[in-house]
Amino acid sequence: MSKDAQVSEQVRDLFNKMAWLNKSRMEEQLKGYKSSEVHCIEAIKKKQDPNVTILAEALYMTRGALSRLTKKLVDKKVIESYQKDGNRKEIYFRLTEQGEAVYQIHEAQHDYFRERDRAVFEQVTEDNYNELLKFVALYDEHLDNEIKKQGLTLN
């Protein structure tokens, strides 16, 4: 097997293993919320002036799918929509108090996972990190170019 095939396969396996290992704890701590809902809550918290377009791009979803998702979250009272003065056309989202609580639970789970995995990361040198980050950035740029080349859009 070629090195690039090995890396692709191992990255995929690593991601799947992490998701599988983390799934039951996340489901237990975030009962009643789907993964897509929690990630939307996270994006709303982290993005400035998040609207449907910004969130769809951040979550790699269509605007239609994102609109359905935000409607569910509004119905669950974890987010609310608002408009800015002078711009009655655009709708933005923010977390409610309940949404903030869900966000905090989600962040606490990621802290737990980082602590669980600390033993591995303590073995990584600064040079290892730099090379890995360089590779990830290179691969990310490649995928962005492939998306553009194929004419894929989230609209």
Side-chain angles (χ1 to χ4, degrees):
M1 181 183 297
S2 67
K3 293 283 187 196
D4 60 331
Q6 282 180 299
V7 169
S8 292
E9 187 174 307
Q10 287 183 350
V11 166
R12 203 172 29 254
D13 287 348
L14 184 65
F15 175 80
N16 289 337
K17 191 180 292 183
M18 285 175 57
W20 179 78
L21 184 60
N22 298 351
K23 184 179 181 195
S24 62
R25 185 175 177 92
M26 282 292 203
E27 287 175 348
E28 177 186 313
Q29 296 294 314
L30 293 162
K31 282 186 174 97
Y33 295 96
K34 295 177 181 175
S35 176
S36 59
E37 293 171 336
V38 174
H39 288 118
C40 186
I41 289 167
E42 179 182 34
I44 290 169
K45 175 70 175 182
K46 292 182 175 181
K47 296 289 181 185
Q48 182 161 347
D49 297 327
N51 59 21
V52 168
T53 302
I54 289 169
L55 294 171
E57 288 175 2
L59 298 169
Y60 298 95
M61 299 175 74
T62 64
R63 289 194 316 236
L66 199 285
S67 292
R68 290 186 294 279
L69 179 57
T70 54
K71 182 178 179 346
K72 288 180 188 176
L73 293 173
V74 167
D75 291 346
K76 288 185 174 188
K77 300 185 182 347
V78 291
I79 68 169
E80 60 189 10
S81 61
Y82 68 95
Q83 295 176 309
K84 293 181 178 182
D85 290 336
N87 182 356
R88 290 294 179 205
K89 182 181 175 193
E90 196 66 53
I91 297 173
Y92 302 92
F93 300 99
R94 64 181 159 228
L95 301 184
T96 63
E97 193 173 311
Q98 185 178 338
E100 285 283 346
V102 170
Y103 173 79
Q104 291 304 323
I105 292 168
H106 182 243
E107 286 299 297
Q109 298 318 300
H110 283 286
D111 290 344
Y112 172 85
F113 300 141
R114 277 190 293 277
E115 185 62 32
R116 177 197 66 201
D117 300 338
R118 179 189 302 241
V120 172
F121 292 103
E122 287 175 342
Q123 298 175 51
V124 179
T125 68
E126 189 71 22
D127 287 343
N128 292 149
Y129 273 123
N130 290 338
E131 286 301 314
L132 183 58
L133 292 170
K134 184 177 166 182
F135 169 75
V136 169
L138 183 66
Y139 199 13
D140 185 55
E141 183 179 346
H142 165 74
L143 294 177
D144 284 345
N145 289 334
E146 283 299 310
I147 288 168
K148 287 176 188 168
K149 189 178 359 177
Q150 293 181 30
L152 297 173
T153 62
L154 297 169
N155 301 329

